[in-house]
């Protein structure tokens, strides 16, 4: 028999009624869940088919099931695990709908179909969207939020476009889904909720089937998921929830720590157990992370201890700028490798996918293999970069219609596409098209002048002239207003492009670098499919549930983490939780880096760094 901490043992031995298990980072929650299922079957005589274990991802469900089955085999009961139901919310709820409505897997909408439906609506409404891919992804996220939070569409304020526009896209999307008898993941939840509300007989049958419900990562649950689970658990309320409100980081999907914080009010008879021993990290890492998260007001108070004992102090380092930051990190990683660590032991975490470009370039330069959980971003293929590069190409003589269309009305010169009829644009013909309209001749003349000015410039000066002289910054500010974005989000792409341009004296050198970078990214993506060695690069969100011997947190600066979008207290608390998640991925060494300057502007150290340093008396 393995030896458990008394709090783990208490959770494992729990029999009937509701229980909330507050599981701090690295506290062995999967072990507790699998051993509790075993305990229910072996010691309490529960029929395995009456037990339901719900997780948030298929990978987590599979891992949980495999660990449980190994556990049962060790105890000499091979095969017992097959009858316990392990699954995600969506797979469980879809099974329920399958029995009620005879749905098949073919009724589940594919991602590319969802994208096509929204794209069709964007076309029908004649919306002028530059970043169509991002816009569609954001709108689909909003549709999901409206459904899963059961929000009244009439009172929903869109983050991406006007309310009227969003309503039209939403209704058009729904109409296309219904016409094809398709369901998305949120429909599964909403329909299951409706089914249980309207058909108590069906609800009763499933309540008899699932008499013991265990929910992993409960802090990630949203409103409709919680409502359904509560219905299913009645009347016995054998609901065993495991999670950590301090690791709730999916507010944009509708999950809120408030649901978990409200559990004791919803179930006054519920027992609460704290798994307060961290088996992953050193005392220094645990204490530093705890000092940070204590600044959040909406949370359960917890005392966490590190089982491992002492290690090296958490390193907080300032770099002059992002280039210096990447150089220092690469040098340190090389030092770790010389000391006997493997590259796979190291992770570099960042707040958004915009952050790691220079880091990726530096790792490529030093031939250090790396893997990325998310797709590799290419700054030079961003629509904003494409616009700027189209100006430079036009200045160098590329007057192809496709190239000129990218710049002609950015900023808006009110030049019609009809004036650009030929495959190669002739300015004389464009001027002839507007003969007699002096104001248009003036605009065309100004554009020709601007292109002539750009021609001899060095890369960084050219980018700056396009931004300030031609007025591309102003165009982006207007577009941000139209799209309900913060202008800084768009201007940051220009800052990154200018930062890249500053490293090159001629356009030839800069364009050659872009081609090389594109080629290396492609090679990296192919290599990633065939191997899994190398430094791990991932967002803070993407790191959840993982652990590494050595962790670097990149760019711990105000505006990056916490992100500039975070304005409300609830947003800031979520950002702090995200930083806490990033810190607690580290087992042995944690390095937090911030920069003093970026894009020629002074940068402020993140308040999160200040909080954990001040409270340590440093």
């Amino acid at each position: 028999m393995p030896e458990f901490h008394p709090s783990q043992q208490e959770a494992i031995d729990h029999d009937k009624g509701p229980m909330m298990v507050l599981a701090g980072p690295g506290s062995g929650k999967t072990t507790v869940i699998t051993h509790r299922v075993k305990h229910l079957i072996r010691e309490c005589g529960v029929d395995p088919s009456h037990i339901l274990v719900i997780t948030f991802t298929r990978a987590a469900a599979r891992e949980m099931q495999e660990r449980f089955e190994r556990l049962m085999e060790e105890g000499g009961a091979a095969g017992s695990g097959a009858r316990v139901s392990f699954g995600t919310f969506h797979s469980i709820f879809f099974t329920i709908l399958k029995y009620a409505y005879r749905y098949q897997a073919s009724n589940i909408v594919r991602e590319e179909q969802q994208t096509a439906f929204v794209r069709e609506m964007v076309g029908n409404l004649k919306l002028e969207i530059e970043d169509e891919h991002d816009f569609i992804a954001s709108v689909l996220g909003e549709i999901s939020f409206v459904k899963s939070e059961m929000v009244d569409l009439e009172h929903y304020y869109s983050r991406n476009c006007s309310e009227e526009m969003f309503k039209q896209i939403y209704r058009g999307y729904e109409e296309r889904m219904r016409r094809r008898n398709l369901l998305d993941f949120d429909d599964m939840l909403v329909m299951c909720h409706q089914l249980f509300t309207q058909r108590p007989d069906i609800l009763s049958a499933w309540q008899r089937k699932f008499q013991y419900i265990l929910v992993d990562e409960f802090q990630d649950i949203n409103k409709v998921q919680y409502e359904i689970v509560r219905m299913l658990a009645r009347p016995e309320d054998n609901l065993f929830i495991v999670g950590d409100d301090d690791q709730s980081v999916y507010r944009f999907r509708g999950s809120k720590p408030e649901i978990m914080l409200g559990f004791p009010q919803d179930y006054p008879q519920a027992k609460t157990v704290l798994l307060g021993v961290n088996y992953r990290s050193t005392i220094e890492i645990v204490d530093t992370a705890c000092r940070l998260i204590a600044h959040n007001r909406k949370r359960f108070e917890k005392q966490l201890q590190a089982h491992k004992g002492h290690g090296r102090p958490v390193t907080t380092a300032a770099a002059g700028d992002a280039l210096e930051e990447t150089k220092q990190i690469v040098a340190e990683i090389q030092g770790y490798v010389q000391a006997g660590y493997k590259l796979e032991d190291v992770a570099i975490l960042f707040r958004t996918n915009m952050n790691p470009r220079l880091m990726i370039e530096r790792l490529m330069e030093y031939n250090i293999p790396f893997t990325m959980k998310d797709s590799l971003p290419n700054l030079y293929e961003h629509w904003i970069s494409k616009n700027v590069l189209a100006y430079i190409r036009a200045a160098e003589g590329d007057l192809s219609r496709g190239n000129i269309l990218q710049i002609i009305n950015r900023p808006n010169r009110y030049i019609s596409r009809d004036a650009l009829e030929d495959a190669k644009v002739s300015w004389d013909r464009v001027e002839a098209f507007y003969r007699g309209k002096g104001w248009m001749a003036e605009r065309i003349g100004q554009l020709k002048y601007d292109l002539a000015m750009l021609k001899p410039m060095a890369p960084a000066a050219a980018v700056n002239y396009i931004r300030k002289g031609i007025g591309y910054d102003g165009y982006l500010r207007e577009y941000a207003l139209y799209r309900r974005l913060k202008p800084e989000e768009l201007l940051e792409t220009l800052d990154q492009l200018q930062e890249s341009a500053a490293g090159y004296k001629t356009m030839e050198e800069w364009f050659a670098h872009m081609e090389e970078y594109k080629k290396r990214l492609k090679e990296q993506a192919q290599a990633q499919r065939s191997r899994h060695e190398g430094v791990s690069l991932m967002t803070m969100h993407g790191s959840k549930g993982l652990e590494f011997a050595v962790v670097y947190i990149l760019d711990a600066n105000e505006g990056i983490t916490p992100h500039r979008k975070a304005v409300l207290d609830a947003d800031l608390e979520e950002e702090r939780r995200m930083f806490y998640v990033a810190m607690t991925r580290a087992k042995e060494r944690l390095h937090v880096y911030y920069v003093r300057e970026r894009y020629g502007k002074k940068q402020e150290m993140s308040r999160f760094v200040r909080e954990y340093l001040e409270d340590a008396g440093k």
Side-chain angles (χ1 to χ4, degrees):
M1 272 289 286
E3 270 199 33
F4 295 111
H5 185 273
S7 61
Q8 289 179 321
Q9 193 68 59
E10 186 185 345
I12 290 165
D13 291 346
H14 177 68
D15 182 5
K16 288 187 179 294
M19 175 176 264
M20 175 169 68
V21 179
L22 293 173
S27 60
K29 67 184 180 64
T30 305
T31 300
V32 164
I33 292 170
T34 51
H35 277 83
R36 181 181 182 239
V37 176
K38 178 187 169 187
H39 172 80
L40 286 172
I41 296 165
R42 290 280 176 78
E43 312 304 323
C44 306
V46 175
D47 183 329
S49 67
H50 290 326
I51 300 171
L52 170 63
V53 181
I54 307 177
T55 66
F56 275 83
T57 66
R58 277 183 298 198
R62 200 163 46 243
E63 188 204 342
M64 192 83 73
Q65 184 163 2
E66 284 167 3
R67 280 179 67 168
F68 170 68
E69 286 173 359
R70 279 199 301 274
L71 189 63
M72 295 302 276
E73 282 164 16
E74 286 161 17
S80 300
R83 292 165 63 204
V84 173
S85 296
F86 289 87
T88 62
F89 279 102
H90 295 117
S91 69
I92 301 299
F93 295 168
F94 185 64
T95 300
I96 291 167
L97 293 177
K98 217 157 54 168
Y99 281 102
Y101 301 122
R102 300 285 181 264
Y103 279 119
Q104 301 299 317
S106 57
N107 294 113
I108 301 173
V109 71
R110 298 191 311 278
E111 219 172 290
E112 59 268 27
Q113 287 175 298
Q114 291 178 288
T115 301
F117 295 158
V118 176
R119 183 176 285 123
E120 196 184 327
M121 288 303 300
V122 168
N124 291 351
L125 293 169
K126 296 190 167 43
L127 303 183
E128 290 180 28
I129 304 294
E130 300 281 4
D131 50 338
E132 192 184 73
H133 178 78
D134 289 348
F135 177 77
I136 290 172
S138 299
V139 165
L140 282 169
E142 288 199 83
I143 290 171
S144 171
F145 181 84
V146 167
K147 290 183 182 186
S148 64
E149 286 297 287
M150 299 188 275
V151 175
D152 182 344
L153 190 60
E154 292 306 313
H155 302 132
Y156 181 69
Y157 178 83
S158 173
R159 297 189 302 273
N160 284 283
C161 52
S162 74
E163 279 59 66
E164 199 43 52
M165 213 177 279
F166 179 75
K167 280 179 203 165
Q168 287 188 55
I169 293 172
Y170 183 97
R171 287 174 184 139
Y173 169 84
E174 283 292 272
E175 189 258 324
R176 283 158 179 75
M177 290 284 287
R178 299 294 87 84
R179 206 190 306 151
R180 292 163 178 81
N181 197 24
L182 292 172
L183 298 174
D184 61 27
F185 286 138
D186 299 289
D187 291 327
M188 293 178 201
L189 308 185
V190 173
M191 289 177 75
C192 204
H193 185 271
Q194 288 170 345
L195 177 70
F196 283 173
T197 306
Q198 293 160 8
R199 292 289 302 273
D201 55 327
I202 291 176
L203 172 59
S204 180
W206 286 103
Q207 287 169 336
R208 287 193 298 276
K209 163 75 175 158
F210 296 132
Q211 294 175 21
Y212 288 82
I213 301 173
L214 298 87
V215 184
D216 186 24
E217 301 283 10
F218 186 81
Q219 75 279 350
D220 293 337
I221 203 165
N222 66 31
K223 185 179 174 182
V224 69
Q225 289 166 340
Y226 184 45
E227 293 291 333
I228 298 168
V229 166
R230 290 193 71 188
M231 287 186 196
L232 263 182
R234 292 181 193 130
E236 279 86 4
D237 290 335
N238 293 325
L239 184 54
F240 184 88
I241 68 160
V242 184
D244 181 7
D245 55 300
D246 288 334
Q247 295 187 67
S248 174
V249 292
Y250 292 116
R251 214 162 146 259
F252 62 92
R253 287 187 201 157
S255 63
K256 304 181 188 78
E258 287 84 347
I259 296 175
M260 191 165 189
L261 292 170
F263 191 80
Q265 284 78 52
D266 293 336
Y267 294 93
Q269 76 278 34
K271 292 178 181 172
T272 300
V273 174
L274 169 66
L275 304 185
V277 179
N278 179 309
Y279 294 94
R280 176 188 298 153
S281 312
T282 62
I283 288 172
E284 288 74 10
I285 292 167
V286 172
D287 286 356
T288 306
C290 286
R291 283 199 303 276
L292 170 73
I293 202 62
H295 284 261
N296 271 6
R297 292 195 192 120
K298 287 190 174 177
R299 64 185 290 265
F300 289 116
E301 289 292 326
K302 306 175 194 73
Q303 292 298 317
L304 300 184
Q305 299 167 307
H307 183 260
K308 259 187 177 176
H310 284 284
R312 302 290 292 275
V314 171
T315 306
T316 306
D321 59 18
L323 282 168
E324 189 186 310
E325 179 185 43
T326 60
K327 279 180 186 165
Q328 286 180 19
I329 291 173
V330 163
E332 284 176 26
I333 289 171
Q334 289 171 323
Y336 275 120
V337 171
Q338 284 163 7
Y341 283 87
K342 294 199 212 71
L343 288 174
E344 296 76 72
D345 295 330
V346 181
I348 301 172
L349 310 183
F350 37 86
R351 174 62 184 85
T352 74
N353 257 337
M354 288 288 282
N355 300 125
R357 179 185 58 86
L358 284 175
M359 195 72 243
I360 289 169
E361 290 189 5
R362 183 75 60 215
L363 292 168
M364 285 176 172
E365 187 188 328
Y366 282 83
N367 288 316
I368 294 174
F370 63 91
T371 61
M372 272 193 80
K373 207 173 177 185
D374 307 293
S375 60
L376 298 170
N378 187 345
L379 166 70
Y380 309 113
E381 288 180 356
H382 193 289
W383 65 272
I384 292 174
S385 301
K386 283 179 173 177
N387 285 177
V388 171
L389 297 173
Y391 265 110
I392 291 168
R393 289 194 180 97
E396 292 190 330
D398 181 357
L399 299 181
S400 63
R401 186 172 189 268
N403 196 60
I404 298 302
L405 279 174
Q406 282 201 68
I407 65 169
I408 199 74
N409 286 316
R410 297 179 177 100
N412 207 341
R413 299 177 180 91
Y414 302 95
I415 296 173
S416 166
R417 293 172 79 94
D418 297 339
L420 313 171
E421 287 179 327
D422 302 329
K424 187 175 180 187
V425 171
S426 157
W427 295 122
D428 291 342
R429 285 207 194 102
V430 177
E431 285 168 327
F433 185 88
Y434 286 106
R435 190 169 286 121
K437 295 179 179 172
W439 67 94
M440 290 304 291
E442 207 175 294
R443 286 173 189 161
I444 295 159
Q446 183 63 46
L447 176 56
K448 285 162 67 180
Y449 171 80
D450 286 334
L451 293 177
M453 288 292 288
L454 277 176
K455 195 172 190 312
M457 289 184 182
V463 175
N464 193 53
Y465 186 79
I466 292 162
R467 295 182 68 172
K468 307 289 192 288
I470 294 176
Y472 191 78
D473 273 16
Y475 161 73
L476 281 190
R477 287 181 200 282
E478 281 180 25
Y479 183 69
L481 198 65
Y482 169 67
R483 275 278 280 105
R484 297 190 172 178
L485 298 168
K486 290 206 169 200
E488 296 81 16
E489 288 175 54
L490 302 179
L491 295 172
E492 189 177 348
T493 300
L494 286 175
D495 288 336
Q496 287 208 4
L497 196 66
Q498 202 161 344
E499 180 182 64
S500 167
Y504 302 91
K505 289 191 176 71
T506 67
M507 290 298 180
E508 289 74 28
E509 286 175 13
W510 193 31
F511 280 116
H513 161 73
M514 288 180 212
E515 281 306 308
E516 177 64 16
Y517 183 67
K518 185 178 175 181
K519 190 175 125 204
R520 294 290 293 272
L521 275 187
K522 202 173 171 186
E523 287 168 3
Q524 168 66 28
Q526 286 165 347
Q528 202 159 302
R529 281 194 283 274
S530 57
R531 64 158 166 79
H532 299 285
E533 306 92 44
V535 176
S536 293
L537 269 69
M538 63 188 75
T539 60
M540 293 176 177
H541 273 119
S543 72
K544 198 160 166 279
L546 302 175
E547 55 181 45
F548 302 90
V550 181
V551 167
Y552 284 89
I553 295 178
L554 205 61
D555 300 331
N557 287 91
E558 282 291 304
I560 294 175
T561 176
H563 196 274
R564 65 173 73 86
K565 277 185 186 171
V567 181
L568 307 172
D569 285 348
D571 296 328
L572 286 167
E573 295 217 341
E574 171 121 335
E575 292 283 323
R576 193 176 282 109
R577 290 194 294 271
M578 220 178 300
F579 204 94
Y580 173 75
V581 165
M583 294 176 87
T584 53
R585 301 309 95 200
K587 296 197 281 187
E588 296 168 27
R589 300 297 307 273
L590 174 61
H591 300 266
V592 180
Y593 266 86
Y594 63 95
V595 297
R596 291 200 174 95
E597 187 181 287
R598 182 182 302 276
Y599 317 130
K601 301 178 196 115
K602 194 170 177 296
Q603 298 294 303
E604 213 181 312
M605 176 176 79
S606 169
R607 72 190 72 185
F608 301 152
V609 177
R610 251 192 339 267
E611 286 165 2
Y612 74 65
L613 287 178
E614 280 169 10
D615 293 351
K618 292 183 183 177

